[in-house]
């Protein structure tokens, strides 16, 4: 009777071995488990996208950014960052017909918000874009582009005092490289 129990216990404790696939390379052979293939994305992906929205009405722009963030979360997109850039001020002058006399002057402020999306699947991107364009408020512009180093540099405001000190140092002959012993 003891013999009948032991074989069944042995079978219950056996752990199935992981299946492996051999991949040949120039340096020899490497064995990789099959489950690594299942971790790759099914569709091509956009690595990083920058969704830029600009407008003249601050509350409307904030509301639209909140809406886009919600749509991205609903579509299970990875929103890695949301940030604002400093407002840009523009002066517009209206002239009288056939003269250089200023009839009126307007001061406009353009606000900008950005959403950074990472690893966006190619089939999901058009859906996000259609929803964003369908809900686009009047007076707001939408631009989607790949996230670049240029986008990163625009986000930081230069320190005016530090730049002035660097210019003054250059005018004085530049930094000295010799060290005192």
């Amino acid at each position: 009777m003891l013999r009948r129990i032991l074989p069944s216990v042995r079978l219950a404790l056996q752990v199935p071995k992981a299946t492996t696939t051999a991949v040949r390379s120039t340096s020899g052979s490497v064995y990789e488990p099959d489950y690594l293939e299942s971790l790759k994305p099914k569709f091509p992906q956009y690595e990083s996208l920058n969704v830029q929205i600009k407008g003249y009405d601050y509350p409307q722009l904030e509301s639209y950014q909140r809406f886009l963030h919600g749509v991205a979360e609903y579509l299970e997109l990875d929103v890695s960052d949301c940030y604002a850039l400093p407002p840009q001020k523009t002066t517009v002058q209206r002239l009288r017909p056939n003269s250089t006399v200023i009839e009126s002057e307007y001061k406009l402020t353009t606000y900008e918000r950005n959403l950074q999306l990472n690893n966006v699947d190619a089939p999901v991107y058009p859906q996000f874009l259609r929803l964003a364009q369908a809900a686009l408020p009047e007076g707001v512009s939408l631009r989607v582009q790949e996230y670049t180093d240029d986008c990163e540099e625009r986000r930081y405001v230069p320190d005016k005092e530090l730049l002035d000190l660097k210019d003054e140092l250059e005018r004085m002959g530049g930094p000295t490289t010799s060290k005192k012993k």
Side-chain angles (χ1 to χ4, degrees):
M1 177 138 176
L2 190 57
R3 284 185 179 175
R4 290 185 195 165
I5 294 174
L6 286 178
S8 64
V9 171
R10 186 180 303 153
L11 290 175
L13 296 178
Q14 287 181 350
V15 178
K17 293 184 179 179
T19 59
T20 56
T21 307
V23 178
R24 294 272 177 203
S25 66
T26 57
S27 63
S29 68
V30 178
Y31 291 96
E32 294 181 355
D34 289 335
Y35 66 86
L36 290 179
E37 282 295 318
S38 66
L39 294 177
K40 292 182 181 176
K42 286 182 175 181
F43 305 105
Q45 290 185 331
Y46 295 101
E47 188 175 328
S48 187
L49 293 176
N50 187 42
V51 180
Q52 178 188 59
I53 51 176
K54 285 185 176 183
Y56 298 106
D57 190 8
Y58 181 79
Q60 187 180 38
L61 198 66
E62 286 288 317
S63 175
Y64 185 60
Q65 181 188 11
R66 195 173 329 114
F67 169 77
L68 287 180
H69 195 280
V71 167
E73 285 181 349
Y74 179 77
L75 293 174
E76 297 176 355
L77 298 176
D78 178 23
V79 180
S80 63
D81 205 1
C82 292
Y83 58 92
L85 291 179
Q88 297 175 347
K89 299 186 187 262
T90 309
T91 303
V92 178
Q93 296 175 342
R94 183 173 159 201
L95 304 175
R96 288 193 178 158
N98 301 324
S99 72
T100 58
V101 178
I102 299 172
E103 189 173 283
S104 58
E105 185 174 87
Y106 304 99
K107 294 181 182 180
L108 301 175
T109 305
T110 306
Y111 300 98
E112 182 178 337
R113 299 289 177 266
N114 290 283
L115 273 82
Q116 185 179 348
L117 305 174
N118 288 334
N119 302 325
V120 179
D121 287 337
V124 177
Y125 172 68
Q127 295 171 355
F128 174 77
L129 197 56
R130 282 189 201 132
L131 289 170
Q133 287 176 338
L136 189 65
E138 206 170 304
V140 175
S141 65
L142 173 72
R143 182 177 175 194
V144 180
Q145 62 184 7
E146 286 189 303
Y147 193 79
T148 60
D149 292 336
D150 214 20
C151 298
E152 185 72 24
E153 287 180 23
R154 286 187 37 217
R155 122 178 233 192
Y156 299 108
V157 179
D159 186 4
K160 178 78 171 136
E161 188 176 323
L162 180 63
L163 293 174
D164 290 343
L165 287 172
K166 283 183 180 179
D167 288 343
E168 185 178 336
L169 182 63
E170 286 297 322
R171 280 186 270 128
M172 292 172 60
T176 58
T177 57
S178 62
K179 294 182 181 179
K180 293 182 180 179
K181 292 184 180 181

